[in-house]
């Protein structure tokens, strides 16, 4: 039952301000390297996103550039960025509906 | 009237005392209430200053701390009828939940939101009949705790709650009426106090001191001094104490009546009566001046107050600010604001002031207050702290403050750097509140500031329209969007606009008519499906567009497979597969893309015919090879599935092409296996003799024999055995003997054995426990130097001590103190221990040294020694006792020295607490109060509890009561907790009078007792033969409690004519609670014939009690009676759930199903147990459709009951099996386990059923399935479930056979440990644990195994086995955790023996929590 291990270059971002959507996230993180995908779950009940997001880069370099930057500020908010150790949603029921 | 005036002797100095009370309507019938009725309260003792009229900012300490709900942590193992537990615990849990919810809100913010309060209200109503405590909690929340609601709205809510809960059968006592009065006062509600008293009289509730005080305040709020005087007079006739609160109200009364001079005079009247005006008195006076806008007097009075013995806190000043603003004198606010000290807790209080002001439309003043926040701003501009002022902006939006003003506030907040993005924030508030027009206005303002407006800003406005299918609403938003020049994107249209319309065509039509331009292709899955089966190239173009919204592969998988199976465009297939692999958009949350793709491959091959695969072999190979080139990796278990199909299709040639896709690291291995051995005394002795005869080595058998004898405490026999086989003795056997000698106080024998051991084997070492036992014996017999030598030897041998050994060290040292040993001996031992580093210096370990000095009354010596400890080890042992001694002796010089050191080493706060406790302990309460009033002091629950426990232990009521009283305003002090200490001591001393007076004081202070506290109070009253004047909360421990405490008042179960309805009702309910439902039923039938009706709550109680016993017919009879008496009576959802349970148990599945349906129609929520029982019954009857129906009903319910998905699946499987359709059962289960989300769900239930029914056919089929899932899909859960089920049913051979076939079972640690945990909870299961261990010896760490084994022995009450296990643990070097030691110690005690180790002092719960915490900490941080 071991996980398929594959190199992933992902960061988990929290404290995402409500004013930004996927497009803005991709634009912002695009400065560190090519963004492969970006998952920003929205709550269909409220119409707001949930404040956290996964961003994955095509290369390790993008990941490293991101992590090397100490302070990520987007639209006046300090983002919390950390390396994502487990790939997107390994376990079921991890906060999405 | 004359008597009235005569009695008001205290008031003779006051001009108001001379006012004539003319006979008005006030002296009508309700006045009799004032004369009649006795009051339980004689004197409340200490004066309180906690009754404030008028607007009051929430005291942020008025709420008890939430206790963590510990129901699931109970250590008790006895089994109880699950139904009655459900019934009884539900209400208590609800209360705990509601309380902790409200409490955390109040503690964080000092307020409650309307939404939260309404939600709790709704929940309380829905779950059945509310308890008195819940009612109190809700009522209490309708006043100043709701600064965001208007005053009138708050009172209306209070009334709604009052009436609704009364309808539902809540019983009100005097505390409820007092709480309602407080709410009236806080909301400045205009009501007639006389009508209120009349209402109490009708309800047969006696007013008490607090009631009168609040009624006086009510009159005074309206400036009605005459009314107040009348009530004051009655208080005098009843000899009730006139407290400061009453005088404070009179100050307000005179001021409001326009006579500010008289108001001022009250202060000197107070002094004349021996009561010093307190801060609240000054606040009342200040408010009087504030209402008149008299700034000079305000300033003068403030000065006067500040020069008095106390000072006004910020919250007091804030009241004055509020009054000024409300009376229209905003211009004076800034000057008064200068008096704010901005102490700790300023921000939440000031926030509530701002909110109250905005609610009153005084947002300008609120903003002035808000500006003061900027001075307290944190350094970090982007810090975690909320942007300052957000709460203010949000409330402005909610209160519809004009937008121009909000815009101005935003600009200023931004300019002063208090808020980074105020307009954005305002918009989010408007969106959350779904204020469409305001939102558009704000967006316009944002555009003017060049802030971007993005399509997703409109989604919150659209969600409600989507839910309501409101086309007009959605179109309005679309138009607004267009006006703002924002083009809706694909996601907006597809997720938030299209769903409103019946079809995309209709949507387009509507757009066209409204002139809205949308440039979107109809996306929709139909298009994707069409392309998937017709044109893979175009599909790829569509899906690979990054702006394409997420689509679950599941919605077009079969079309895609259809398209793939043509194999006419391998390149596109690879591109699409790669896309699915790389892009989350096509994968369900919770599943990896690798899994999605792997299952697609599996399904592709599975969906092809064998011949088809053979024909397309080359193309498939080509496809796989290209996937490999794209670095696509699949999990091994799915590979196995694919392998099985390919093998069955006879195309094994393709296998290697698939295999290369598997990650090489993904391999499954199996572990080693060993067998164990068991021992027994006499058999061992025989064996020894045998071995000796045969001249074989026998040392290990010898050790086992000695160990067995040691566990029976047979010292002599063990020594003889040693003598007999001396040449075969090894270190281990010696160690056992040595500790045996120590237990028998035979120190010389122990030492000689030790020497003997070292002679034989110089490398042999004793462990810490044995050393400790030896040292203690030596120290106790005054052989200090020998003890020191042993300590040194321990160090040389690197013996490691754990926490239980350190406590043995403490006991060793303490034993020396009590043996009369001097300071030098203790110092010598202590220094040796610390300098060798054997134990860390703790306050506890240092304490014995201090005790020696204190014993000889040498305070300077004790202080010197304590300070030395501080210097050397950073510990201050027994400092409290030293300080108490110094205070008592009045040795200020030494005291100053002690305080300086404490303050310097531990901080000022700790020093203050030490001083506080010392003053309390020595009866210097005035000094103690001064300490509490130190600005910045906050509650330290641990410290307060420490002192309270000390008072309870030594039965010292006075210092305890003083402490509780003086901490009433201490920041963050848990009031309920504090009062509960007093009740606990009352219980110890059977002082019911004190308990009752304390309850009145709690009402005065507006504290909601926790249920636990109320039960405690009720117990004190009951134990002393007193009536309990309130409804006692239910508890599921009540049975034991009642069994243990002798009943003082036992009522004969028949209705007495003299009894009133309420008492009768209470008796009926109490019979129900005691499980005497039949008696209660008989009683009800009898009285019903005589035409006596009871409240709905009472009927419901009886129905529930009858159902809990399964008596459904009787229950229905009661329901019929209830319907005839109470129109519209309905069963509560607890009762209905019980009906379902009972019907299910009787196999009446169809009836149960009907009950469920009618429940859901009434918006009731069934219990989890009800659904479980129903589904199980349906399963056992083979009623598949029934299960499906329940399932769909539950889906529609919306709220989840925490039902396991497997409940339905397992029972559907059983239904199939019942009908003899094994294939369907297997097919369904297989599908469940091959889908990734359910791989770890349990199907034990199914196995248990079929094994119990001995349905061999089903067992064969399902075990084959389990094996297949394990071997082909690496899904081990079903096999593990079966394996453990076999073990549990003692089918060991079958289990062994399974284990041989599926090796990996031995690695399912999680399941095995949970089996272990389950078995250890029930008595008589030790054998099963041992069987499991013999089959798979190393499945878990020794520590874990031993812990559960110990638990199992304790459950069996088997001391000999437990003792042997403990011995074995010590020998194998396994450290027993404190919980195990605690369990073992209790077992010893129950057997009347002393445990051979110090019993861990805390409760089971404490250690369980400690272990849990440790487990949590041990987990990796990113979990």
């Amino acid at each position: 039952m071991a996980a398929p291990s594959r190199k992933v270059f992902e960061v988990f971002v929290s404290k995402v301000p409500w004013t930004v959507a996927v497009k803005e996230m991709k634009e912002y993180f695009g400065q560190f390297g090519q963004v492969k995908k970006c998952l920003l779950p929205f709550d269909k009940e409220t119409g707001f996103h949930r404040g956290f997001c996964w961003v994955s880069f095509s290369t390790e370099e993008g990941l490293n550039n991101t992590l090397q930057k100490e302070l990520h500020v987007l639209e006046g908010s300090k983002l919390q960025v950390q390396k994502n150790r487990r790939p997107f949603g390994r376990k079921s029921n991890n906060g999405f509906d | 009237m004359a008597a009235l005036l005569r009695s008001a002797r205290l008031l003779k100095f006051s001009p108001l005392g001379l006012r004539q009370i003319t006979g008005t309507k006030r002296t009508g019938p309700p006045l009799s209430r004032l004369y009649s009725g006795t009051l339980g309260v004689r004197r409340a003792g200490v004066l309180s200053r906690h009754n404030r009229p008028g607007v009051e900012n929430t005291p942020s300490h008025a709420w008890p701390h939430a206790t963590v709900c510990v129901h699931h942590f109970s250590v008790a193992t006895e089994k109880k009828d699950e139904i009655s537990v459900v019934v009884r615990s539900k209400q208590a849990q609800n209360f705990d939940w509601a309380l902790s919810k409200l409490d955390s809100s109040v503690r964080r913010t000092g307020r409650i939101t309307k939404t939260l309060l309404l939600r709790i209200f709704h929940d309380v109503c829905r779950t059945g009949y509310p308890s008195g405590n819940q009612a109190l909690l809700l009522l209490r929340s309708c006043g100043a705790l709701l600064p965001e609601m208007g005053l009138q709205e708050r009172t209306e809510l209070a009334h709604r709650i009052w009436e609704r809960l009364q309808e539902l059968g809540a019983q009100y006592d005097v505390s409820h009426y007092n709480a309602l009065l407080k709410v009236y006062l806080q909301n400045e509600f205009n009501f007639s106090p006389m009508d209120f008293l009349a209402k109490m009289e009708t309800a047969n509730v006696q007013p008490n001191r607090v009631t009168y005080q609040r009624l006086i305040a009510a009159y005074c709020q309206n400036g009605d001094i005459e009314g107040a005087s009348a009530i004051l007079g009655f208080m005098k006739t009843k000899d009730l104490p006139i407290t400061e609160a009453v005088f404070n109200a009179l100050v307000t009364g005179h001021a409001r009546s326009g006579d500010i001079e008289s108001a001022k005079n009250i202060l000197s009247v107070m002094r004349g009566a021996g009561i010093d005006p307190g801060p609240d008195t000054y606040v009342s006076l200040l408010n009087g001046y504030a209402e008149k806008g008299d700034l000079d007097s305000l300033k003068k009075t403030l000065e006067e107050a500040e020069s008095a013995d106390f000072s006004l806190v910020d919250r007091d000043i804030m009241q004055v600010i509020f009054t000024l603003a409300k009376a229209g004198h905003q211009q004076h606010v800034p000057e008064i604001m200068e008096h704010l000290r901005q102490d700790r807790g300023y921000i939440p209080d000031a926030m509530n002031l701002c909110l109250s002001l905005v609610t009153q439309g005084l947002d300008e003043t609120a903003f002035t207050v808000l500006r003061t926040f900027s001075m307290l701003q944190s350094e970090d501009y982007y810090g975690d702290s909320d942007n300052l002022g957000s709460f203010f902006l949000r409330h402005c939006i909610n209160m519809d403050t004009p937008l121009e003003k909000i815009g101005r506030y935003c600009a200023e907040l931004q300019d002063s750097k208090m808020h980074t993005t105020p307009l954005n924030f305002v918009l989010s508030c408007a969106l959350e509140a779904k204020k469409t027009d305001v939102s558009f206005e704000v967006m316009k303002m944002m555009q003017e500031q060049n802030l971007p407006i993005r399509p997703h800003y409109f989604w919150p406005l659209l969600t409600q329209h989507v839910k309501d299918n409101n086309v007009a609403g959605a179109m309005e938003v679309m138009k607004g969007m267009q006006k703002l020049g924002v083009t809706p994107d694909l996601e907006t249209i597809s997720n938030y606009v299209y769903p409103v319309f019946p079809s995309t065509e209709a949507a387009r039509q509507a757009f066209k008519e409204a002139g809205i331009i949308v440039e979107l292709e109809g996306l929709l899955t139909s298009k994707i499906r069409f392309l998937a089966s017709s044109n893979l190239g175009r599909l790829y173009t569509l899906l690979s567009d990054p702006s394409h919204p997420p689509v679950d592969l599941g919605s077009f998988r079969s079309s895609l497979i259809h398209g793939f199976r043509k194999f006419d465009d391998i390149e596109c297939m690879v591109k699409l597969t790669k896309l699915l692999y790389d892009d989350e958009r096509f994968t369900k949350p919770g599943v990896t893309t690798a899994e999605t793709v792997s299952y697609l491959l599996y399904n592709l091959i599975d969906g092809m015919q064998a011949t088809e695969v053979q024909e397309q072999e080359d193309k498939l190979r080509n496809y796989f090879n290209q996937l490999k080139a794209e670095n696509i990796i699949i999990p091994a278990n799915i590979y196995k599935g694919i392998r099985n199909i390919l093998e069955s299709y006879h195309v094994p040639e393709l296998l290697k092409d698939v295999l290369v896709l598997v990650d090489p690291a993904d391999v499954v291995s199996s572990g080693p296996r060993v067998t164990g051995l068991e021992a027994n005394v006499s058999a061992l002795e025989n064996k020894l003799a045998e071995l000796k005869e045969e001249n074989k080595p026998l040392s290990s058998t010898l050790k086992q024999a000695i160990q067995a004898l040691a566990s029976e405490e047979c010292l002599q026999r063990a020594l003889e055995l040693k003598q007999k086989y001396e040449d075969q003795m090894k270190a281990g056997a010696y160690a056992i003997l040595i500790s045996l000698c120590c237990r028998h106080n035979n120190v010389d024998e122990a030492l000689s054995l030790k020497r003997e051991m070292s002679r034989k084997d110089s490398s042999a070492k004793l462990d810490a426990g044995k050393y400790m036992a030896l040292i203690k014996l030596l120290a106790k017999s005054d052989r200090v130097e020998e003890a020191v030598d042993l300590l040194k030897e321990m160090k040389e041998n690197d013996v490691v001590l754990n926490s239980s050994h350190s406590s043995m060290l403490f006991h060793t040292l303490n034993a020396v103190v009590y043996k009369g040993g001097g300071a030098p001996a203790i110092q010598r031992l202590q220094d040796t221990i610390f300098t060798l580093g054997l134990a860390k210096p703790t306050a506890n370990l240092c304490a014995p040294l201090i005790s020696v000095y204190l014993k000889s009354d040498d305070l300077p010596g004790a202080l010197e020694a304590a300070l030395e400890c501080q210097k050397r080890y950073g510990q201050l042992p027994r400092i409290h006792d030293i300080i108490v001694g110094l205070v008592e002796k009045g040795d200020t010089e030494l005291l100053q020295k002690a305080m300086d050191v404490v303050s310097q080493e531990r901080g000022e706060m700790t020093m203050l607490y030490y001083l506080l406790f010392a003053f309390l302990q020595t009866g210097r309460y005035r000094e103690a109060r001064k300490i509490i009033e130190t600005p910045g002091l906050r509650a330290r629950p641990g410290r307060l509890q420490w002192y309270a426990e000390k008072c309870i232990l030594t039965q010292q009521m006075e210092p305890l009561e003083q402490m509780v009283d003086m901490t009433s305003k201490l920041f963050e002090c848990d009031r309920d907790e504090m009062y509960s200490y007093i009740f606990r001591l009352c219980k110890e001393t059977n002082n019911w009078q004190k308990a009752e007076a304390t309850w009145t004081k709690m009402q005065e202070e507006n504290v909601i007792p926790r249920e636990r506290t109320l039960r405690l109070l009720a117990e004190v009253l009951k134990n002393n033969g007193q009536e309990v004047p309130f409804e006692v909360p239910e508890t599921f421990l009540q049975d034991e409690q009642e069994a243990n405490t002798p009943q003082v008042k036992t009522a004969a179960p028949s209705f007495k004519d003299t009894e009133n309805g309420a008492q009768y009702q209470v008796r009926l309910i109490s019979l129900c609670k005691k499980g005497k439902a039949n008696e209660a039923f008989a009683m009800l039938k009898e009285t019903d014939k005589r035409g006596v009706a009871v409240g709905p709550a009472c009927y419901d109680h009886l129905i529930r009690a009858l159902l809990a016993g399964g008596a459904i017919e009787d229950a229905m009879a009661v329901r019929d009676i209830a319907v005839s008496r109470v129109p519209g009576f309905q069963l509560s959802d607890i009762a209905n759930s019980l009906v379902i349970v009972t019907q299910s148990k009787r196999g009446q599945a169809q009836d149960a199903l009907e009950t469920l349906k009618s429940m859901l129609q009434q918006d009731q929520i069934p219990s989890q147990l009800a659904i479980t029982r129903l589904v199980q019954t349906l399963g056992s009857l083979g009623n598949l459709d029934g299960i499906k129906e329940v399932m769909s009903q539950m889906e529609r319910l919306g709220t989840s009951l925490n039902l396991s998905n497997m409940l339905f699946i397992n029972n559907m499987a059983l239904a199939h099996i019942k009908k003899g359709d094994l294939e369907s059962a297997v097919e369904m289960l297989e599908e469940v386990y091959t889908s990734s989300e359910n791989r770890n769900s349990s199907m034990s239930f199914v196995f248990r059923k079929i094994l119990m029914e001995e349905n061999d056919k089903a067992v064969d089929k399902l075990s084959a399935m389990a094996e297949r899932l394990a071997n082909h899909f690496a899904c081990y859960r079903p096999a593990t479930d079966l394996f453990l089920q076999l073990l549990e049913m003692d089918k060991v051979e079958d289990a062994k056979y399974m284990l041989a076939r599926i090796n990996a079972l031995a690695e399912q640690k999680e399941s095995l440990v949970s089996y272990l945990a389950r078995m250890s909870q029930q008595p008589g299961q030790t054998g099963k644990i041992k069987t499991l261990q013999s089959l798979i010896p190393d499945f878990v760490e020794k520590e874990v195994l031993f812990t559960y084994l110990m638990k199992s022995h304790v459950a069996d009450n088997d001391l000999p086995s437990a003792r042997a296990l403990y011995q074995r643990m010590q020998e194998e070097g396994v450290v027993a955790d404190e919980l195990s030691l605690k369990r073992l110690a209790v077992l010893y005690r129950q057997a009347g023996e002393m445990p051979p180790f110090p019993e861990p002092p805390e409760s089971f719960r404490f250690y369980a929590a400690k272990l849990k915490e440790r487990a949590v900490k041990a987990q990796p941080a990113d979990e």
Side-chain angles (χ1 to χ4, degrees), chain B residues 137-197:
Chain B
L137 179 66
L138 288 170
L139 287 171
R140 161 78 171 81
S141 306
C142 295
L145 288 173
L146 293 170
E148 288 161 285
M149 263 170 95
L151 300 180
Q152 201 186 339
E153 203 189 340
R154 281 173 3 191
T155 308
E156 278 161 13
L157 178 61
H159 284 153
R160 220 170 87 210
I161 291 175
W162 180 279
E163 277 154 28
R164 182 83 186 110
L165 296 188
Q166 196 159 37
E167 276 168 31
L168 290 173
Q171 298 193 5
Y172 293 141
D173 56 50
V174 63
S175 67
H176 296 94
Y177 285 89
N178 286 344
L180 187 60
L181 275 176
K182 187 77 187 174
V183 166
Y184 284 172
L185 291 171
Q186 290 180 338
N187 297 350
E188 293 177 54
F189 177 61
N190 222 330
F191 69 104
S192 153
M194 283 304 147
D195 290 352
F196 193 87
L197 275 177

Side-chain angles (χ1 to χ4, degrees), chain B residues 228-268:
Chain B
S229 304
I231 299 212
L232 199 53
F234 300 132
M235 283 184 81
K236 302 301 327 166
T237 60
K238 291 187 182 309
D239 226 6
L240 291 171
I242 305 299
T243 59
E244 189 201 320
V246 174
F247 286 107
N248 297 345
L250 291 174
V251 172
T252 305
H254 283 294
R256 286 254 163 114
S257 74
D259 185 0
I260 196 88
E261 274 313 303
S262 298
K264 209 176 151 200
N265 273 338
I266 296 281
L267 271 69
S268 42

Side-chain angles (χ1 to χ4, degrees), chain B residues 184 269 356 531 680 757 832 881 915 976 1032 1050 1099 1206 1287:
Chain B
Y184 284 172
V269 175
S356 298
L531 289 177
N680 166 312
M757 177 181 84
T832 313
D881 300 287
L915 209 50
D976 169 76
V1032 184
T1050 19
Y1099 289 120
M1206 288 311 280
L1287 279 184

Side-chain angles (χ1 to χ4, degrees), chain A residues 14 22 41 69 93:
Chain A
S14 49
V22 173
K69 188 167 160 57
N93 299 331

Side-chain angles (χ1 to χ4, degrees), chain B residues 525-563:
Chain B
T525 38
S526 64
K527 179 161 184 181
I528 299 181
R529 285 201 196 115
F530 173 68
L531 289 177
S533 55
S534 62
N535 191 329
L536 293 178
R538 275 185 61 199
L539 179 68
Y540 178 74
T541 318
L542 178 71
L543 294 181
S544 59
D545 183 348
S547 65
H548 193 278
V551 194
D552 177 18
L553 171 64
S555 60
F556 61 96
R557 186 194 287 116
S558 54
S559 310
L560 190 63
I561 288 174
H562 185 254

Side-chain angles (χ1 to χ4, degrees), chain B residues 567-583:
Chain B
F567 287 100
D568 48 13
D569 189 349
I570 303 284
E571 200 183 321
C572 269
M573 281 168 68
V574 174
K575 268 156 73 184
L576 277 163
T577 315
K578 176 77 176 152
L579 180 67
L580 295 173
Y581 191 79
D582 287 343
D583 202 327

